[in-house]
Amino acid sequence: MTHRGSRVLHVGSLSRVEGEGALHLSVHDGTVTEARLQIYEPPRFFEAFLRGRAHTEPPDITARVCGICPVAYQMSACAAIEDACGVTVDPALRELRRLLYCGEWIESQTLHIYLLHAPDFLGCDGAIELARTARGHVERGLRLKQAGNAILELLGGRAIHPVNVRLGGFHRTPTAGELRPLADQLKRALDDAWQTVAWVSGFDFPDAEIDADLFALADPGTYAIESGTPTVLRADGTLSTFPLPAFLDHVHEEHLPHSTALHSALDGRRHLTGSLARFAISGRRLSRPAVEASLAAGLGDPRAGAVCRNPFRSILVRAVEVVYAVDEALRIIDTYEPPRRPYTDVPAAAGTGHGATEAPRGLLYHRYVLDAEGTVTDACLVPPTAQNQGAIEDDLRRTAQHAITQRASADDELTRLCERVIRNHDPCISCSTHFLDLTIDRT
Amino acid sequence: MSPPTLAVFKLASCDGCQLTLLDCEDELLGLAGRVRIAHFLEATSAVRPGPYDLALVEGSVTTAADAERIRAIRAASRHLVTIGACATAGGVQALRNFADVDEFTRTVYARPDYIDTLATSTPVSAHVDVDFELRGCPIDRRQLLEVITAYLAGRKPDIPNNSVCFECKRRGTVCVTVAHGTPCLGPVTHAGCGAICPAYGRGCYGCFGPSGSVNLPALIPVLNRDGMDDRDTERFLHTFNTAAFEEELRR
């Protein structure tokens, strides 16, 4: 059942962005009749307790939804509240926000590539185990991740839950001299990012294809990160967009009994957000080094509309996005001139505002309703994890079916495969899959 | 002799505090060489049963199942250290403790009947004995390394119990309250972050919770003077360490 239209209802979904999960698979006469991903992270009620808060508070508070992508929450919250108050932020400050976001992309995507995803391809339990046989690779990953964190620490004050973000911009903006040492570190990071592409390109990728619609923001002239228009690429190749304020008319959330995360559908169909969707929708706008990286990774030419629908190969797309984010961060630092003021004023105003940005793992939408004093009277947060859950379950169903049809897979082998399928998609759910408790009903 | 075992567990939280361990990029592999990581779901699929020499617990207790789990974790752990504001003070989700959780559930979920939650978010210490509580939302990387190193060496962690003001002075930051009249919780907040907020031109918002021997009521008139009315002050104190500041006010 869908409930959109009646009330704004879904914070709990946020809390389990990287929680604990279980999968229930039902097989009847060799047919997978059900693949149910359970996310049983306890609810934390952000949408409820945001009500009654001042309009200046959600950027700090919603950061706490996710320790892995706090900047995404801060940026979507700022965008939505600035929209509600009718404020446009100075372009120089928007560039600086993009730089901060690049830091999160580098850190989070590298975390996913090296610590969560690559061990699957190399048959080990994690990066610490991997370091015993391939220490140089893991060290490179940690160094690259550190470069992302260095941006977050300099611009945000700290890497997790940065303190320097506020409505309209920043509490304090750096001088050009303060940013310069970052450029040196990022130049080394660009080499590491390239070597990451080369490394993951050598992995062995099973065949697979998702048939969900791909959903990401599109921004004229640039690879969308901190703003854009919601855009859908359907499986049949048709492209459509809708204005951001219509988000909740298109993305409907549904609460199923087996998961505290809400399931959502886009115009009644399964959809996927994140790297695969961004690459398909904004690939034409990648910078030259990122285009070269995607050619080197065997992903094809994004300028000619290359699309990757194999979720196992999402690690390649993430590696390309890291090259892009490092290159983009260098561009911003290179052209940086300190803004006249650290922030644009955002005086309270009654209204409803919408904000969406591209979190590392996909499109994150916020909506706030403010009264004339700026008090939040209603809040709605739609995270990528909740949007992707339906597509991930479908992927699990098809992958499990394929494995069972090909050969009578043993339970532990199926378990490993299903865990891999989940980690293909999302670092948040990936964390939970380590705790995956697979039950198979065979009848 | 086999190396000591380290386990990391998570209750209701954002994962930021255990991510802090993975953010120790320079020290992670060295640390992994000195301990046997027996349970750390965010980092490795390899899971070994207890007993554990050192267990780090992130997150607060918000379900009956987690209340059971923390007892089992305690029973399996020689030393139990809580990491972060959620595990130490109930976290941001403890805002429910001052509200009607049924109403919260109805607001957030279409089917409240599917939701299983306690009416409160409580710190780990409300359920089991805790050997050490590391503050912060999120915790500080250097403090985390100090705690782990201390337990490996069999000594008490050197985590001073003074306030953020000490760190501001050490950092040479001009006092934002004195110089600019900016409301700041630094005088009553536990040190550990390195006094980041004042260095970035904003007041401390108390994410490390109350420090030892503070006089919180004495700060309220200063906050009022700097433009915060009662409602602002209440919100200021009731965010990431809601329950801890509340307790401090009641003392």
Side-chain angles (χ1 to χ4, degrees), chain A residues 180 182-192 326 330 334:
Chain A
R180 212 165 295 125
L182 269 187
D184 296 335
Q185 189 172 3
L186 287 166
K187 279 174 199 151
R188 288 193 297 276
L190 198 54
D191 283 343
D192 288 333
V326 175
L330 279 165
D334 208 36

Side-chain angles (χ1 to χ4, degrees), chain A residues 235-252:
Chain A
D236 65 9
T238 53
L239 208 59
S240 61
T241 67
F242 56 81
L244 186 58
F247 187 91
L248 295 173
D249 298 332
H250 293 270
V251 177
H252 289 266

Side-chain angles (χ1 to χ4, degrees), chain A residues 424-439:
Chain A
N424 280 342
H425 287 285
D426 184 299
C428 290
I429 299 210
S430 306
C431 302
S432 68
T433 62
H434 293 302
F435 206 50
L436 193 68
D437 173 23
L438 181 78
T439 46

Side-chain angles (χ1 to χ4, degrees), chain A residues 1 3 7-13 16 18-20 41-49 51-54 57 60-61 64-68 107 111 115-116 125-126 128-129 131 135 139 142 145-146 149 153-154 157-158 160-161 163-164 171-172 255-257 260 375 423 431 434-435, chain B residues 10-16 19-20 22-23 25-26 28-30 32 37 39 41-47 62-63 66 69 92-93 95-96 101 103-112 114-117 137-138 141 193 196-197 199-202 205 207-208 231 235-236 238-240:
Chain A
M1 49 134 258
H3 56 80
R7 296 174 80 179
V8 179
L9 305 159
H10 31 200
V11 138
S13 54
R16 62 215 67 77
E18 64 273 347
E20 295 159 345
E41 179 80 7
R44 290 190 293 147
F45 302 114
F46 277 84
E47 282 164 327
F49 60 62
R51 291 171 310 164
R53 291 278 167 170
E57 292 184 87
D60 286 326
I61 293 177
R64 270 68 184 184
V65 171
C66 177
I68 297 178
E107 189 278 328
L111 172 88
L115 279 85
L116 306 178
D125 288 324
I128 289 162
E129 291 82 357
R135 192 173 175 107
E139 282 176 347
L142 291 171
K145 183 168 162 302
Q146 194 170 38
N149 275 339
E153 282 164 12
L154 188 118
R158 63 184 171 197
I160 300 167
H161 308 328
V163 303
N164 192 24
H171 290 278
R172 186 172 83 76
H255 191 185
L256 303 178
T260 46
T375 304
R423 284 193 283 266
C431 302
H434 293 302
F435 206 50
Chain B
K10 168 189 152 57
L11 308 172
S13 66
C14 77
D15 276 43
L19 178 64
T20 304
L22 299 180
D23 276 358
E25 289 99 359
D26 289 333
L28 185 65
L29 295 181
I37 296 178
H39 187 285
L41 298 176
E42 194 168 277
T44 174
S45 304
V47 173
T62 62
T63 64
D66 277 350
R69 244 177 94 209
V92 69
Q93 57 267 12
L95 286 167
R96 81 179 69 181
V101 82
E103 196 267 338
F104 269 25
T105 310
R106 287 195 303 275
T107 302
V108 175
Y109 293 100
R111 292 293 304 263
Y114 293 164
I115 296 300
D116 171 29
T117 183
C137 180
R141 186 159 57 203
C193 66
I196 305 169
C197 286
Y200 279 79
R202 71 181 291 189
Y205 59 82
C207 66
F208 272 60
R231 211 174 131 246
R235 285 202 318 268
F236 204 27
H238 279 81
T239 310
F240 306 113

Side-chain angles (χ1 to χ4, degrees), chain A residues 53 61 64 158, chain B residues 17 82-95 97-98 121 123 133-139 185 188-190 204-211 216 234-249:
Chain A
R53 291 278 167 170
I61 293 177
R64 270 68 184 184
R158 63 184 171 197
Chain B
C17 291
T82 62
I83 52 169
C86 297
T88 300
V92 69
Q93 57 267 12
L95 286 167
N97 299 1
F98 307 92
S121 165
E133 295 182 316
L134 187 60
R135 312 293 194 88
C137 180
I139 53 169
L185 292 181
V188 297
T189 298
H190 199 285
C204 164
Y205 59 82
C207 66
F208 272 60
S211 60
L216 182 51
E234 192 189 323
R235 285 202 318 268
F236 204 27
L237 293 169
H238 279 81
T239 310
F240 306 113
N241 286 276
T242 301
F245 280 117
E246 184 70 22
E247 220 168 83
E248 205 58 45
L249 276 175

